[in-house]
Amino acid sequence: MASLPMEMIFWGGRGHAKVLAEIVRMQGSQVCAVFDNNSALESPLEGVPMHYGMDGFSRWLGRADRKGSVGGIAAIGGMAGPARCEFLKLFRHYGIPTPSLVHPEAYLAPSVTLGDNCHVLAMAVVCADACLGEATIVNTKASVDHECQIGDGVHVAPGATICGCVEVGRFSMVGAGAIVLPRVRIGEGALIGAGAIVTQDIPDGVVAYGQPARIVRKI
């Protein structure tokens, strides 16, 4: 992994930002500003200023001519893959690099392909020839096995297991502790419930849970 810029900005002011800030500090960088659209939130990081919405972002850019020297992270968890990808576009528009964050206690095989602004958290495992799209989260103790194709904006929640040669469409979420068996395809924008066991393909835009997982409704 390439070293991070000395300073980072986060868009997202909730718990996921706290988790990512720990990785930033471990890699010798620091968070200098947090942005969120919710003006009722206070900064999740002690001593780090909070700014609100595009107006706040524009004012911050106007005061701090740091383009190229500050990195940007879409620090939004949950099933918010589209938002993460939109904020990556915003950062890139302003010349702000969008690196990935990998916890030092995670394992990535040397042959893994990692998109921009992925978040791979503590004790996660990503195995040989797996490909993670941009703005993908592989959360605490989750595993993505060999040759999986994980689309942009996917969230693999804590403790989930994705077996080999699985394809997960963009913006989907695999819930905490779920298991996806080998060679299954999960469509775009699907939500797999916590603890589910996925034994067959899941189409786009549905909620599925149970053991084995069954489609319960459309999103």
Side-chain angles (χ1 to χ4, degrees), residues 9 16 50 52 54 62 103 106 111 137 146 149 154 162 180 182 188 200 207 215:
I9 60 173
H16 194 58
M50 187 86 164
Y52 301 102
M54 281 302 302
H103 195 284
S111 56
I137 301 171
H146 63 90
Q149 299 290 316
V154 168
I162 298 182
V180 183
E188 295 187 8
Q200 59 187 356
V207 176
I215 297 167

Side-chain angles (χ1 to χ4, degrees), residues 5-166:
M6 288 303 295
E7 292 186 311
M8 303 290 293
I9 60 173
F10 284 0
W11 199 298
R14 296 185 182 271
H16 194 58
K18 295 182 179 182
V19 176
L20 298 182
E22 294 177 350
I23 302 175
V24 168
R25 286 193 292 268
M26 288 176 182
Q27 296 188 11
S29 185
Q30 63 179 351
V31 181
C32 64
V34 179
F35 302 87
D36 201 284
N37 289 328
N38 185 352
S39 60
L41 294 178
E42 297 182 357
S43 177
L45 307 177
E46 185 176 356
V48 178
M50 187 86 164
H51 308 270
Y52 301 102
M54 281 302 302
D55 288 344
F57 183 66
S58 297
R59 286 193 295 271
W60 180 86
L61 279 176
R63 291 196 305 267
D65 187 15
R66 297 169 174 173
K67 295 176 185 177
S69 63
V70 175
I73 297 292
I76 309 168
M79 199 171 174
R84 289 194 296 274
C85 290
E86 285 302 311
F87 287 121
L88 293 198
K89 292 178 184 177
L90 175 70
F91 292 149
R92 290 165 179 160
H93 176 76
Y94 287 100
I96 298 172
T98 56
S100 289
L101 297 179
V102 178
H103 195 284
E105 294 182 8
Y107 172 74
L108 265 67
S111 56
V112 167
T113 301
L114 202 64
D116 284 354
N117 219 156
C118 289
H119 313 156
V120 184
L121 304 189
M123 294 175 279
V125 175
V126 186
C127 295
D129 293 328
C131 179
L132 304 185
E134 66 181 22
T136 288
I137 301 171
V138 182
N139 218 312
T140 308
K141 291 187 177 180
S143 64
V144 177
D145 219 312
H146 63 90
E147 301 170 87
C148 287
Q149 299 290 316
I150 310 298
D152 294 346
V154 168
H155 185 176
V156 184
T161 299
I162 298 182
C163 296
C165 300
V166 167

